[in-house]
């Protein structure tokens, strides 16, 4: 293994957040939601009032890109209504501060949340949501096209549709409604095509816009290789969660709507007697340790899978790729540093093998509101102390480690540090 993993010079080294998870003061279907740790997202990291400070932190981290969401419910109070000028100005100011700091924005148009008037009319099950979304995107893109060229239409349609209609984890908490799941994906895929047309038509004076979704890629498998029932469940999950979604967005004529494909990669979920053996599925850490499952506070780790999925997407779709999310949740910073190192090695291997990967966005800038789990999952490059109402941010060791990579464009420090921490 080379001592110095050099990455392409124009590579985007970024970090990512989403509005509901960091902004606070948001009125969408999550406002009244109480997470398993008893908390809600009403203040979150108060990024809404503190974005200027958070941009300064990003500059300190040395990232040159930021994947950020824009919250539809803030901007449009009713279908086909004009955008709220005050809220729009706030996002414009954020984008201008990023520009001044030399940070390229990637804007996410939908990240697990909707305006109340969309939710009350059936959300993404209702085909009328497609033209409503198109209208919103038209207005937003017209307003921001001089400032944004990287557009991520949908974040993880797979996770969103499965947690809303199959697994009951996200509002409206339905379970096992396979037809609803499929319908949501199909409607989002249609909306993606329309949004892509809008973005292309609007253009950007500086450079040609880029458009894509962020696909969550999760590997599924049986924990015990001989358990045919778990193998079958893994195969069904793989088909439904991974391939059905990729086909809906990228097969046939719809392929032309995307200029890139984003990959959110966290790892692997293996089943044992139909139960997913991951902390996010409720498995206890002690039980997982006994079974030899290496995981963060969410999923089983599988760094080698990152190389596999990048090579596979490259072969299958031939689109430029971004790692739109990767990170690990743990209070053990050595673990997180090691995890990042292993994934960057895989990423570097894929790029050296000819896969066109253009950027990496670490999830997340801040410890934040992790949906069903509230503030209990620690993903931040910056730690946030939620017990202090001033919500102070503090650089973590993972943040320092990532800063070295962002500044040098090489993961040499990563290798050095991982040798120390793996012991
Ligand atoms: C992804 C989501 C993101 C965050 C991370 C941990 O599935 O897109 O909002 O919850 O997982």
């Amino acid at each position: 293994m080379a001592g110095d993993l050099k990455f392409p010079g124009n590579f985007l080294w970024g970090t990512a957040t989403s509005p509901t998870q960091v902004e606070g003061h948001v009125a969408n279907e999550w406002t009244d939601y109480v997470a398993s740790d008893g908390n809600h997202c009403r203040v979150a990291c108060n990024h809404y009032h503190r974005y200027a400070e958070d941009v300064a932190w990003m500059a300190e981290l040395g990232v040159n890109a930021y994947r950020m969401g824009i919250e539809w419910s803030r901007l449009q109070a009713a279908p086909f209504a004009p955008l709220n000028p005050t809220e729009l100005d706030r996002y414009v100011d954020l984008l201008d501060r990023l520009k001044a700091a030399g940070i390229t924005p990637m804007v996410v148009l939908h990240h697990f949340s909707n305006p109340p008037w969309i939710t009350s009319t059936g959300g993404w099950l209702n085909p009328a949501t497609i033209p409503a979304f198109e209208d919103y995107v038209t207005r937003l893109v017209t307003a921001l096209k001089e400032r944004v060229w990287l557009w991520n239409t949908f974040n993880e349609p797979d996770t969103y549709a499965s947690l809303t209609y199959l697994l009951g984890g996200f509002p409206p908490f339905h379970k096992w409604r396979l037809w609803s799941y499929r319908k949501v994906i199909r409607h989002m895929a249609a909306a993606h095509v329309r949004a892509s047309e809008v973005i292309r038509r609007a253009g950007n004076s500086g450079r040609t816009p880029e458009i894509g979704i962020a696909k969550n890629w999760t590997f599924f498998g049986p924990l015990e290789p001989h358990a045919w029932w778990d193998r079958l469940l893994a195969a069904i999950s793989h088909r439904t969660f991974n391939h059905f979604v990729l086909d809906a967005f990228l097969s046939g004529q719809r392929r032309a709507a995307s200029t890139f494909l984003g990959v959110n990669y966290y790892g692997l979920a293996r089943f044992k007697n139909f139960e997913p053996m991951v902390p996010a599925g409720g498995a206890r850490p002690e039980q997982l340790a006994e079974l030899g499952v290496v995981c963060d506070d969410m999923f089983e780790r599988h760094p080698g899978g990152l190389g596999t999925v990048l090579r596979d997407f490259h072969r299958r779709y031939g689109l430029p790729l971004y790692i739109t999310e990767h990170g690990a949740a743990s209070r053990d910073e050595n673990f997180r540093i090691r995890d990042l190192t292993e994934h960057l090695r895989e990423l570097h291997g894929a790029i050296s093998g000819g896969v066109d990967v253009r950027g990496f966005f670490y999830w997340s800038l801040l410890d934040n509101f992790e949906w069903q789990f509230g503030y209990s999952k620690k993903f931040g490059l910056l730690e946030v102390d939620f017990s202090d109402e001033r919500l102070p941010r503090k650089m973590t060791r993972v943040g320092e480690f990532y800063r070295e990579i962002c500044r040098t464009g090489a993961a040499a420090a990563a290798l050095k540090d991982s040798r120390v921490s793996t012991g």
Side-chain angles (χ1 to χ4, degrees):
M1 171 61 60
D4 186 2
L5 302 181
K6 252 312 192 196
F7 284 82
N10 53 358
F11 197 74
L12 293 186
W13 288 109
T15 183
T17 61
S18 86
T20 305
Q21 294 179 276
V22 298
E23 286 184 353
H25 320 282
V26 79
N28 62 29
E29 66 267 59
W30 292 95
T31 309
D32 295 327
Y33 178 87
V34 179
S36 57
D37 66 351
N39 286 309
H40 55 69
C41 65
R42 294 199 179 154
V43 178
C45 307
N46 203 10
H47 181 69
Y48 183 70
H49 291 117
R50 304 202 19 199
Y51 62 87
E53 183 189 333
D54 290 336
V55 172
W57 274 111
M58 280 187 252
E60 166 70 23
L61 275 166
V63 295
N64 62 10
Y66 178 41
R67 178 174 175 265
M68 55 171 270
I70 289 191
E71 178 62 24
W72 187 5
S73 60
R74 277 192 203 291
L75 289 170
Q76 235 181 357
F80 305 97
L83 302 186
N84 178 317
T86 313
E87 298 295 347
L88 185 62
D89 281 353
R90 186 189 146 277
Y91 282 118
V92 166
D93 185 47
L94 166 54
L95 291 165
D96 287 346
R97 285 172 190 270
L98 289 169
K99 183 165 187 204
I103 299 172
T104 300
M106 174 187 276
V107 166
V108 183
L109 296 171
H110 187 276
H111 195 133
F112 300 172
S113 64
N114 302 283
W117 49 270
I118 286 284
T119 305
S120 64
T121 50
W124 285 91
L125 285 180
N126 185 347
T129 295
I130 302 168
F133 183 74
E134 181 182 2
D135 171 73
Y136 164 63
V137 175
T138 306
R139 293 172 194 273
L140 188 72
V141 169
T142 308
L144 301 183
K145 65 178 185 191
E146 301 307 327
R147 293 177 169 84
V148 181
W149 56 271
L150 258 176
W151 297 94
N152 177 180
T153 54
F154 287 92
N155 174 68
E156 300 191 1
D158 29 68
T159 304
Y160 175 73
S162 53
L163 280 153
T164 46
Y165 292 104
L166 293 180
L167 303 174
F170 286 6
F173 311 112
H174 293 301
K175 282 195 173 172
W176 308 124
R177 299 202 182 169
L178 190 59
W179 288 114
S180 300
Y181 171 85
R182 294 169 72 96
K183 208 181 219 179
V184 167
I185 297 293
R186 291 211 166 102
H187 286 164
M188 286 185 158
H192 169 71
V193 172
R194 299 237 205 139
S196 159
E197 283 158 9
V198 166
I199 294 167
R200 281 162 209 263
R201 232 180 293 129
N204 169 293
S205 56
R207 56 186 291 177
T208 314
E210 289 190 24
I211 305 143
I213 60 158
K215 168 80 188 87
N216 176 305
W217 184 273
T218 299
F219 287 92
F220 298 96
L223 192 59
E224 157 61 59
H226 303 296
W228 64 264
W229 50 92
D230 287 332
R231 271 214 311 273
L232 180 65
L233 180 58
I236 293 170
S237 306
H238 182 52
R239 174 77 236 134
T240 312
F241 188 86
N242 288 328
H243 284 297
F244 173 72
V245 177
L246 284 170
D247 288 351
F249 280 86
L250 289 170
S251 64
Q253 290 185 337
R254 274 162 300 180
R255 158 74 176 70
S258 299
T259 68
F260 74 86
L261 178 56
V263 190
N264 291 3
Y265 183 73
Y266 291 93
L268 167 66
R270 287 193 288 163
F271 297 105
K272 184 173 162 65
N273 295 327
F274 302 108
E275 294 297 331
M277 288 292 107
V278 291
R284 284 178 302 106
E286 310 81 67
Q287 180 193 15
L288 295 171
E290 263 170 40
L291 292 167
V293 174
V294 178
C295 51
D296 72 342
D297 292 344
M298 296 286 281
F299 289 98
E300 183 171 356
R301 310 318 279 178
H302 182 35
L306 180 63
T308 307
V309 71
L310 292 174
R311 283 186 287 272
D312 184 47
F313 281 2
H314 175 67
R315 230 181 357 252
R316 233 168 334 135
Y317 303 108
L319 286 169
L321 305 172
Y322 290 89
I323 297 176
T324 30
E325 288 181 21
H326 173 75
S330 176
R331 286 188 159 78
D332 178 348
E333 292 215 54
N334 282 341
F335 176 89
R336 291 177 65 202
I337 290 173
R338 208 155 59 225
D339 172 89
L340 178 55
T341 310
E342 286 166 3
H343 286 82
L344 291 180
R345 269 197 197 123
E346 283 295 319
L347 168 61
H348 187 266
I351 295 174
S352 313
V355 180
D356 181 5
V357 188
R358 306 212 171 154
F360 175 91
F361 293 83
Y362 191 84
W363 185 270
S364 179
L365 172 66
L366 300 162
D367 287 341
N368 62 42
F369 182 76
E370 177 53 31
W371 315 109
Q372 310 103 296
F373 308 105
Y375 301 102
S376 55
K377 309 288 181 192
K378 304 298 180 191
F379 277 105
L381 293 170
L382 302 172
E383 181 188 321
V384 178
D385 182 355
F386 293 100
S387 68
D388 179 338
E389 65 182 18
R390 290 166 304 151
L391 298 169
R393 280 82 162 130
K394 194 173 127 204
M395 182 66 79
T396 60
R397 285 208 298 113
V398 188
E400 279 166 3
F401 175 77
Y402 192 53
R403 173 168 63 190
E404 191 60 27
I405 295 167
C406 293
R407 289 194 175 159
T408 57
L415 290 175
K416 198 171 90 238
D417 210 303
S418 75
R419 273 201 299 270
V420 174
S421 56
T422 46

